[in-house]
Amino acid sequence: IAQLMPGVQNNPGSTEVVIRGSGPNDSRYYVDDIEVPSIFHNIANLSVLPAQSLESVDFNSGGFGVQYGNASGGIIVLRSKDERPEAPRTEIVANVPFYTGVFHERPLSDQSSMAVSIRRSTLEAILPTVLKNASKDGFEATVIPYFYDAFGRYEWKSDAVRYRLTAIQSLDGLTLAVPAAQADNAKGQFNVEFRNGFSTLALEAQGSVDADWTYRTTPQFQIFRTKADIGAKLA
């Protein structure tokens, strides 16, 4: 939905978006109060969070508050559901040919709940067979995009305080194999693989000190991963 807003353009080959002509790095992306480097996958316009955990999307192309510092493009925030589930629920999703996944949530007590999700693309299992048949007609290049993500959250809240421990992992990649004289494998193909992703662990805490004062903080730990293999043999 955010990519359909006025002034927003897709950035080809990237999980970022261009807002009002600004550079992708000039915008900021959030999951609730957690800043993340990207919120979209390259495949099927999926967000890095499962749809079952989402409540709304906030889009702001300018004039946002100082809490979103170091941003001159725009702000996109994925808001997750805030209510505690009434009963355990499991959903298995098979979106052929793009991905499969499983989502599970459950209440743990009157004040706590948890939710987990994992998804993985299926194109890397389907495309090789399709492209192998296409190679009989002279098409010998193999291009395979893929992605993986995982999400986990534990939440505890009372009338005065709320704590949410969130873990997000996301990976996007692309493999390319073409016939080449300088190939380094038995198939005579020159292989290239690009992938990038991140892992985030964050604790969102908010509460009331008294009738006039409240606090809100989100310490987080994040790891970025970017890799390019040129000429390497693909698994």
Side-chain angles (χ1 to χ4, degrees):
I1 293 176
Q3 295 181 4
L4 299 177
M5 294 293 184
V8 178
Q9 293 179 317
N10 291 324
N11 187 23
S14 174
T15 57
E16 300 166 322
V17 295
V18 177
I19 300 176
R20 295 188 298 111
S22 62
N25 293 331
D26 293 331
S27 297
R28 295 292 179 267
Y29 312 99
Y30 291 83
V31 175
D32 297 318
D33 288 343
I34 306 168
E35 185 174 0
V36 293
S38 62
I39 56 175
F40 297 114
H41 289 296
N42 282 323
I43 298 176
N45 291 326
L46 290 170
S47 72
V48 297
L49 257 63
Q52 297 89 337
S53 68
L54 288 176
E55 182 177 59
S56 63
V57 179
D58 294 347
F59 173 78
N60 198 325
S61 61
F64 36 82
V66 294
Q67 68 269 32
Y68 301 118
N70 299 321
S72 58
I75 303 294
I76 300 178
V77 184
L78 301 182
R79 298 291 182 188
S80 59
K81 294 179 180 178
D82 195 33
E83 69 272 11
R84 187 179 66 90
E86 296 290 335
R89 177 172 69 107
T90 301
E91 289 189 22
I92 298 175
V93 179
N95 189 328
V96 180
F98 297 112
Y99 72 96
T100 59
V102 59
F103 173 84
H104 176 77
E105 65 177 0
R106 66 186 304 117
L108 299 177
S109 69
D110 292 339
Q111 295 178 311
S112 63
S113 62
M114 57 86 67
V116 293
S117 168
I118 185 170
R119 298 183 298 182
R120 184 178 181 87
S121 60
T122 53
L123 288 175
E124 60 266 42
I126 298 174
L127 278 181
T129 301
V130 175
L131 295 176
K132 183 178 180 180
N133 294 331
S135 67
K136 298 176 182 179
D137 299 325
F139 184 81
E140 298 183 356
T142 302
V143 181
I144 304 175
Y146 62 89
F147 81 90
Y148 158 87
D149 64 42
F151 166 78
R153 170 168 287 170
Y154 169 80
E155 182 170 0
W156 186 93
K157 65 179 178 179
S158 65
D159 293 337
V161 297
R162 183 181 73 174
Y163 299 100
R164 290 200 295 192
L165 181 65
T166 303
I168 304 171
Q169 187 174 47
S170 174
L171 177 70
D172 283 88
L174 177 72
T175 63
L176 169 66
V178 295
Q182 67 271 34
D184 59 354
N185 59 34
K187 295 182 180 180
Q189 292 180 326
F190 186 78
N191 300 317
V192 179
E193 180 176 12
F194 300 98
R195 57 182 174 178
N196 64 82
F198 68 92
S199 299
T200 296
L201 180 65
L203 175 64
E204 298 172 88
Q206 67 179 66
S208 300
V209 178
D210 54 34
D212 298 319
W213 292 89
T214 62
Y215 66 89
R216 188 171 183 171
T217 181
T218 311
Q220 67 184 83
F221 174 76
Q222 196 165 92
I223 298 175
F224 302 90
R225 300 183 304 276
T226 300
K227 185 177 181 180
D229 290 332
I230 299 177
K233 183 177 180 180
L234 299 181

